[in-house]
Amino acid sequence: MLKPVGAMCNLRCAYCYYLPVAEGYDAPAQRMGHDTLESILAGYLPGAPDEVTISWQGGEPTLAGLGFYERMIDLVERHRRPTQRVNHAFQTNGTRLDDRWAAFFAKHRFLIGVSLDGLTADHDHYRTDTQGRPTADRVLAGIDTLRRHRVEHNVLVVLNDRNVRKPREVWARLMNLGIDWVQFIPAVEWVRPHDAASIDAPEAWRLADFSPTGQAYGRFLVDVFDRWFAHHRTKVSVRLFDAVLSAMVHGRATECTFAESCAGQVTLEHDGSVYACDHFVEPAWRLGKVGDDGVAVTVGGRSLELDTSDPEPLDDRWMQRLDADRFHRFGDRKGDLADACRRCEYLRLCHGGCPKHRPARGEIIAPSALCDGYRAFFDHAVPRLEWLAGYLRRGVAPPPKAPRELDPVAQRRARSQAARFRPRRKRR
């Protein structure tokens, strides 16, 4: 994951988890330099698999400018192996998309993720620009531009305390827009009360006011799943449902939230700093920096600074210098589970969820804030997901209609009828 402008953004979303990152920068955020970009690609691509995906995020990554990405394409061609395929995923708030951007994305087959929080009123409540103005109409115009240029795109819905209460309306809006790939990301952030006796106690931490509760998140997933399964499962991909199906079929989830470890990727900031995850861009989890070994040379035992007015030397060995021990510690900390998680029958599917969703951002061993929601969803959806997985394991398309016994409405009716006609015990 590359953050070419760091946390710099033209929006000021009230629930943004990345704004505090900018406070830790040594200097104000700016565009990633071409020397840093080339060093990243030169150090990564030659040893990477035959097919790789680079995820471009922010802040708002379009602020790097179209010329930055045109140069990036040339650098990828310079450093990739002849048989290597490089895919690009690009997450944007959608407000700056125009015909030039869309034509570029179409030409180079970018997958574009656009943030849209369902209904216009809910989107505009939290997602305003730096002047406090609403942005939904600009986002919808951006989606229309992508569609006109036939750019593959999806929608990311940040679930908060408002839209999480409206699963039917949110789903209907997405389907009316013709979206066929959706991801729901809960805005889970933690607040510690000033009067808390001990920050090491789970109860000392509470969710931010904009965060959905676990129960509300579960109700949202259950309602959306029923509609997806009944009407859209052959046409629409929902990232969370796909991740659970992958875990059932292949033994590994396609989403890091449900993965067994947090060691799936690295995040690079605009200045070349490397972190284990974009949710933990903080000194404790800094793994290294691109160019750190390319700033000085040693002559006769003395370190001499290079002339920085000239292009920096290419640093194609930055990956070999990363703090591997710290990276493994970060990945393994996900396995520090509460006893309730270790006893849970659904541990194989969620692996405790994202550490960020645990109190104090995973510093306290306790269940995820979304645990109740996950359990409600799995209780409700696992029988039908297992039915789908059975066909997928055999490489066979599931039939359009599921068995009646998997219908939750039919199940409730059957239980009600069974209770109604159950013979009563005779009183003695």
Side-chain angles (χ1 to χ4, degrees):
M1 180 182 292
L2 270 63
K3 304 265 189 174
V5 294
M8 188 163 60
C9 190
N10 62 321
L11 268 57
R12 284 295 180 272
C13 303
Y15 52 60
C16 180
Y17 74 92
Y18 218 64
L19 283 178
V21 171
E23 300 173 3
Y25 292 153
D26 294 333
Q30 56 187 353
R31 189 180 70 181
M32 180 182 287
H34 289 305
D35 297 324
T36 300
L37 175 63
E38 182 166 14
S39 289
I40 291 171
L41 297 174
Y44 172 65
L45 291 179
D50 288 337
E51 183 166 358
V52 299
T53 297
I54 301 175
S55 178
W56 301 92
Q57 296 202 22
E60 172 49 41
T62 59
L63 292 174
L66 188 55
F68 174 87
Y69 296 100
E70 291 172 335
R71 173 73 183 276
M72 178 274 295
I73 294 295
D74 292 338
L75 294 176
V76 167
E77 290 303 304
R78 181 183 302 175
H79 294 289
R80 74 175 180 90
R81 300 191 304 277
T83 58
Q84 192 175 40
R85 179 176 177 179
V86 179
N87 304 309
H88 299 278
F90 194 97
Q91 184 64 43
T92 174
N93 61 42
T95 61
R96 305 183 73 251
L97 299 178
D98 58 21
D99 288 325
R100 291 174 64 247
W101 279 104
F104 171 81
F105 291 145
K107 178 180 178 181
H108 299 288
R109 298 183 179 180
F110 274 53
L111 170 63
I112 309 302
V114 182
S115 296
L116 177 68
D117 287 356
L119 304 181
T120 296
D122 291 335
H123 177 100
D124 287 339
H125 182 80
Y126 286 125
R127 299 186 67 84
T128 58
D129 63 17
T130 53
Q131 284 77 46
R133 298 174 299 190
T135 60
D137 288 344
R138 279 176 274 173
V139 176
L140 293 171
I143 292 174
D144 285 341
T145 301
L146 294 175
R147 186 170 287 130
R148 281 192 287 103
H149 287 265
R150 299 183 179 180
V151 177
E152 187 176 1
H153 61 280
N154 59 61
V155 163
L156 184 157
V157 179
V158 178
L159 291 177
N160 51 65
D161 62 314
R162 292 171 61 91
N163 59 6
V164 77
R165 301 195 299 265
K166 306 169 186 176
R168 299 183 183 186
E169 294 89 341
V170 170
W171 187 253
R173 178 69 180 281
L174 297 174
M175 295 305 97
N176 288 337
L177 288 173
I179 305 301
D180 56 14
W181 201 98
V182 184
Q183 55 179 320
F184 298 108
I185 305 294
V188 176
E189 299 295 334
W190 292 97
V191 177
R192 179 175 67 88
H194 296 296
D195 57 352
S198 172
I199 63 172
D200 296 327
E203 59 271 15
W205 298 82
R206 66 173 178 83
L207 290 177
D209 291 340
F210 54 70
S211 296
T213 65
Q215 295 90 336
Y217 182 57
R219 289 191 293 270
F220 181 94
L221 293 179
V222 163
D223 197 302
V224 167
F225 178 81
D226 283 347
R227 296 171 191 284
W228 171 82
F229 188 87
H231 306 292
H232 303 105
R233 60 182 166 86
T234 62
K235 298 170 288 188
V236 178
S237 172
V238 178
R239 185 180 181 186
L240 186 142
F241 305 162
D242 290 348
V244 178
L245 279 170
S246 178
M248 291 176 169
V249 176
H250 303 293
R252 61 185 184 280
T254 51
E255 182 180 354
C256 62
T257 300
F258 289 164
E260 194 168 358
S261 167
C262 290
Q265 67 175 27
V266 292
T267 295
L268 290 102
E269 275 283 333
H270 66 289
D271 63 352
S273 296
V274 187
Y275 298 88
C277 172
D278 70 316
H279 286 283
F280 292 88
V281 175
E282 53 197 52
W285 298 115
R286 188 176 183 269
L287 305 178
K289 187 175 181 180
V290 177
D292 266 359
D293 271 13
V295 177
V297 295
T298 301
V299 178
R302 291 194 308 134
S303 180
L304 302 176
E305 295 296 322
L306 295 177
D307 181 2
T308 55
S309 62
D310 294 329
E312 294 181 5
L314 190 66
D315 176 15
D316 59 0
R317 298 186 61 79
W318 60 270
M319 291 190 70
Q320 286 86 346
R321 298 194 314 273
L322 295 182
D323 190 333
D325 289 339
R326 184 175 297 187
F327 185 56
H328 290 311
R329 287 201 308 273
F330 180 83
D332 292 343
R333 70 200 282 265
K334 188 172 185 179
D336 296 333
L337 298 170
D339 290 340
C341 294
R342 295 187 185 280
R343 295 192 302 266
C344 180
E345 66 269 34
Y346 297 124
L347 179 60
R348 65 185 177 88
L349 297 179
C350 80
H351 293 287
C354 178
K356 179 192 172 185
H357 298 163
R358 303 171 191 172
R361 290 165 46 83
E363 296 305 313
I364 296 174
I365 298 177
S368 164
L370 303 176
C371 179
D372 290 343
Y374 289 145
R375 289 188 63 88
F377 169 68
F378 291 139
D379 283 342
H380 184 79
V382 159
R384 280 174 284 174
L385 289 170
E386 286 283 15
W387 176 78
L388 291 174
Y391 286 94
L392 297 176
R393 290 187 197 102
R394 303 193 302 271
V396 178
K401 192 169 183 179
R404 178 176 171 79
E405 59 266 24
L406 289 179
D407 183 349
V409 175
Q411 289 178 343
R412 287 194 295 269
R413 286 175 181 168
R415 286 194 296 269
S416 176
Q417 280 192 327
R420 183 178 173 188
F421 294 106
R422 187 177 299 127
R424 298 180 180 177
R425 290 186 178 181
K426 294 182 180 180
R427 294 182 180 178
R428 293 185 177 180

